[in-house]
Amino acid sequence: MNRNNQALFITLIAIFAVMLIRLVQLQLIEGSQYHEIALKNAAKNIPAAAPRGVIYDRDGKVVVDNRPIFSVEVLPQLLTGDPAKRDRVLGKLGQVLGEKIDFKVSAQQPIIVRENISLPTAIKIEEMKDELEGVLVKSRPIRFYPYSSAAAHLLGYVGEIAARELENYSQRGYRRGDVIGKDGVERYYDQLVRGIDGGKQVEVNVYGEPIRILSTMDPIAGANISLTIDTQLQEALERALGAKAGAAIVTDPNTGQLLALSSHPNYDPNLFIGQLDMNKWEKLARGRHPFMNRALAIYPPGSIFKVVTLIAALEEGITKPNEPFYCPGYYKINDRIAKCWKESGHGQITAEEGLVQSCDVVFYELGRRLGPEKIAKYARLFGLGDRTGIDLPQEKRGLVPDTEWKKKIFGEQWYDGDSINYAIGQGFLQVTPIQMAGIYGAIATGKRMRPYVVKQITKRNGEVVYQPENPELGPLPFKSENLAVVRRALVNVVDRATGRVAKIEDFPAAGKTGTAQTPGLPHAWFLCYAPVDQPRIVVAAFVEHGEHGDRAAASVARDILAWYKEHRIKDDFDKAE
């Protein structure tokens, strides 16, 4: 063998050696890995949606449920196979559905022909399966809200995950096409209530036709939620608020539990199930921000804030309950004249009676004496300027202004005129209805509570996966005699002053009206708790541009107090008998 032939021989041996080593590597070492990849390429996933957890009220009534929705799908091989067969099957399907069905494109996945078909139609298609080869009827669970728009902002609604949501939630296991909570409890507790999807992995041939099932995983239903909400009280609250734009809340001041919450304008969560009715959507979208939860939004409080000002003045020792003031109907500060709501004036009036009659002049003077820092201190002690921590989305912090804030935002110093506005709940101050419900609940019981909506979340096997932490935030750090002054004044507001509209026989309430100036007509407020000696509920009523708290808002609270006396206090008394 000459040198050239020897070199060629060695080269060939080297090439075959490399090929042999690579073949051993592919077959023996990496064979299982490539087999798995090939199997995945020849497999299709057929998902099975998990039903979301059922949501119950405090008495075990279903307020959010699931129901099956049927859809018609066409397998891709029907579209890419025999044209005559395709036309025959689609023609018969069109007769059943009452419309012409035609596809001119190929597909790799089943194509949904029609969603939300009726049960009789689904049964008919199943009965014709021999004639409708390649046509499937699929069932999947969808949300159902039996009480329609009642408590819509509290319960929320669901919809397909949006692109911006997917960016934030993809690392938590969310995928394109997933259904996700969009508001309310549905959104806040989505990860617990949504369940885990299942499905089948099916091996297919080169034509996309199924050959065998590789694996199956049953969907795991989401956990069930038990709310603190009283459904009957909720319906009464919806009736009381009616068509007024605003919000109303009922809480238990002893536990922090939210018993009812209504925000209006609202929406029907069922609208977003299945294909969206565009006519209904356009009508809804033209409304006054129906997706805004006004119970958690910010507004100027007006005179309902005067309880904070009076507590601050008493605690700081700058006034006493019986200190006399004179109200001529206006208050002069520097070159400004600030009017009292009662233009003729209240005449001689004490600090305590100033809260009863909501005399602005008394509170102008208290505000000037206190100044912004002390007012802000007591507002924050009541929890204003921060979220309450309620387990619902959309909650706003509100605003408790002070000297530093004004300088930072406006580049201006604080004036006495700012202080007198502050004292009557006007100016820069911003609060939410849920915050004010917390303040009046704290005055009623002497302790601050964190409001909450969900009292327990349980898996289908009974395992408890969530219970709220202790909602008590601590006692109010005020002297008992000063709290007693405010409580006594609030009783007299309902008994003989601006809150008389909410006076219910044999069910004494303590409360305060408020009229908050804003562009257009003023906002109307009424906050109260009842019964006075053993408070069981706090009612917060707010009506946008309702003008007068003693009428628009107090009438909402009156209806709730009357209902509660008849259907809860009386029922408890009857049970005790």
Side-chain angles (χ1 to χ4, degrees), residues 468-482:
E469 297 177 357
N470 180 12
E472 186 169 345
L473 301 174
L476 287 177
F478 310 137
K479 296 175 183 176
S480 59
E481 58 266 32
N482 291 336

Side-chain angles (χ1 to χ4, degrees), residues 308-320 366 369-371 373-375 377-378 381 478-479 482:
V308 177
T309 304
L310 183 56
I311 281 285
L314 293 171
E315 288 286 311
E316 292 293 325
I318 65 169
T319 192
K320 293 182 178 179
L366 295 180
R369 294 181 191 178
L370 283 166
E373 312 308 325
K374 289 179 180 176
I375 298 176
K377 170 188 172 182
Y378 286 89
L381 285 173
F478 310 137
K479 296 175 183 176
N482 291 336

